[in-house]
Amino acid sequence: MTEAVRGRGARSNQSGRYETLTAETIDDGWDRTDEPAPPLRTSLSAEKAKTVITRNNSPDIGFDLSINPYRGCEHGCIYCYARSAHAWMGLSPGLDFESKLFFKPQAAERLTEELKKPRYKCQPIHIGGNTDPYQPVERETRLTRSILEVLQRFQHPLSIISKSALMARDADILGAMGREGLAHACVSITTLDRKLARAMEPRAATPAKRLETISRLTDAGCPVTVGFAPVIPGLNDHELESVLEAAAKAGAVRAMYVTLRLPLEIKDLFREWLEDARPDRARRVMSLVRQTRGGKDYDPDWSQRMKGTGPVAELIATRFRAARKRYGLDRAIPPLDTTRFKIPASERTQGELFDF
């Protein structure tokens, strides 16, 4: 077992599935074990993107358009389904995913160009459907902030999800748009246990800070959903009711959940982490996970991949519905308003300004 790297989630950095050569760390006896390993530094590389809006056609995902300002995520959540995408870039879904990050510095400019196109048809855009738009590097790049500013100028509806307290920084925009029916936010809370959160999501905000973020966004006027995601049977599922109760007290108006998904390389990374971080319950957790996936680590079938099947999954669903109703997290939120979208005067050509 590879020794855990301080502040990181993955325990290894095995090559991605598309690589012809693989690398593996071994102990040859020559390393000086009395000296600590050097810290793993985070690198940030710019991407030149022609477009920033991604189209989605998966029937089990509740949005058609999305924007992901970053590839990779420094939060290091061990269960993150987005890890496998790093293999497309010739990098490891392990430590590379949380330390070799990419961003789109011209995202706001590209977004402006796309929204101005004559054939563009307004529909809600979801921000952060893949990796978190408010991971630590956002403090310096302010990339997500610049995207929100564009959407606000165009009065374009959006939804956004994060597990970072940094989202509260943009409460001025999200609150103003929320009051106008143009923004919904979702804050992901997987546990109220600081120790488990630190092990499972090493560089994400603490549970208390996420609850505070819900309060700040709610006070600003933005409707907030709490996402208890992922539900990991045998590890955090016992906290379902307490997380929803705490979120409701903080001001959330709705709740959602997703059962743990372990596609591709994620199943090995998660199992490796589990055996190291929670060896006392590793076998039980994986057994329960398989019981929600028809005896497999993962089943990609669109009809059930978000919730799972079988008695364990059904019990989670029953408990969730009861808790959601008990804590008033089943309230209806008005749909995002697409009728207010318009190209601001500052972005129109001279001819368009006189086109009545």
Side-chain angles (χ1 to χ4, degrees), residues 56-73:
N56 162 67
N57 59 7
S58 297
D60 60 345
I61 295 179
F63 55 86
D64 296 325
L65 305 181
S66 65
I67 296 176
N68 289 288
Y70 302 99
R71 292 180 190 263
C73 185

Side-chain angles (χ1 to χ4, degrees), residues 2 20 29 36 55 62 90 93 111 124 126 137 146 195-196 207 216 235 246-247 257 270 278 317 339 353:
T2 304
T20 56
R55 268 72 181 176
L111 177 59
H126 183 66
V137 295
S146 69
K195 290 184 66 176
L196 178 58
R216 291 184 60 183
L235 188 63
Y257 81 96
F270 181 79
R278 294 293 187 272
T339 65
L353 291 173

Side-chain angles (χ1 to χ4, degrees), residues 129-343:
N130 199 32
T131 55
D132 202 302
Y134 285 107
Q135 53 188 289
V137 295
E138 170 65 18
R139 292 185 177 89
E140 288 73 46
T141 67
R142 298 178 67 86
L143 188 56
T144 298
R145 172 82 185 190
S146 69
I147 290 170
L148 292 179
E149 289 170 344
V150 171
L151 294 174
Q152 185 178 37
R153 285 194 292 113
F154 280 78
Q155 297 186 54
H156 194 297
L158 68 98
S159 59
I160 189 165
I161 185 170
S162 177
K163 55 170 59 71
S164 172
L166 188 57
M167 183 154 61
R169 178 201 65 186
D170 295 334
D172 58 332
I173 295 178
L174 294 172
M177 294 185 72
R179 293 192 300 272
E180 296 174 355
L182 295 173
H184 294 167
C186 181
V187 176
S188 174
I189 302 178
T190 52
T191 178
L192 299 178
D193 183 338
R194 284 178 60 103
K195 290 184 66 176
L196 178 58
R198 180 63 182 271
M200 194 163 58
E201 310 156 335
R203 297 198 176 192
T206 64
K209 286 293 184 181
R210 297 185 216 181
L211 291 170
E212 182 182 323
T213 299
I214 292 176
S215 295
R216 291 184 60 183
L217 291 172
T218 298
D219 291 344
C222 183
V224 182
T225 295
V226 59
F228 185 54
V231 181
I232 306 174
L235 188 63
N236 73 341
D237 61 314
H238 65 284
E239 295 189 73
L240 189 155
E241 290 82 3
S242 58
V243 168
L244 266 58
E245 181 181 15
K249 290 179 178 178
V253 294
R254 288 190 67 81
M256 53 80 71
Y257 81 96
V258 176
T259 304
L260 178 68
R261 298 163 53 191
L262 296 175
L264 303 169
E265 294 94 343
I266 316 307
K267 63 181 182 299
D268 296 324
L269 289 167
F270 181 79
R271 187 185 296 110
E272 185 179 50
W273 171 85
L274 191 61
E275 291 173 352
D276 180 49
R278 294 293 187 272
D280 57 323
R281 61 180 66 184
R283 292 182 63 183
R284 173 168 171 74
V285 170
M286 289 308 302
S287 173
L288 290 170
V289 168
R290 293 188 189 102
Q291 290 178 50
T292 69
R293 302 297 178 184
K296 299 179 287 187
D297 287 342
Y298 181 60
D299 185 345
D301 188 291
W302 279 342
S303 66
Q304 57 82 34
R305 64 174 180 168
M306 295 298 183
K307 300 294 191 278
T309 58
V312 173
E314 290 170 6
L315 178 59
I316 292 171
T318 300
R319 289 173 53 202
F320 174 80
R321 288 192 296 268
R324 182 179 59 180
K325 183 177 181 179
R326 182 184 312 138
Y327 300 119
L329 292 171
D330 54 356
R331 285 174 277 176
I333 300 177
L336 293 167
D337 187 356
T338 60
T339 65
R340 303 185 62 177
F341 171 77
K342 66 178 181 180
I343 300 174

Side-chain angles (χ1 to χ4, degrees), residues 15-22 86-92:
S15 303
R17 60 192 177 280
Y18 300 120
E19 304 307 298
T20 56
L21 300 176
T22 60
H86 244 45
W88 300 343
M89 308 179 74
L91 297 171
S92 172

Side-chain angles (χ1 to χ4, degrees), residues 100-119:
K100 295 183 179 180
L101 313 181
F102 300 84
F103 76 119
K104 304 166 184 175
Q106 287 87 36
E109 290 84 352
R110 298 290 86 79
L111 177 59
T112 299
E113 293 169 0
E114 291 183 68
L115 298 184
K116 288 169 57 178
K117 290 180 178 179
R119 294 186 179 181

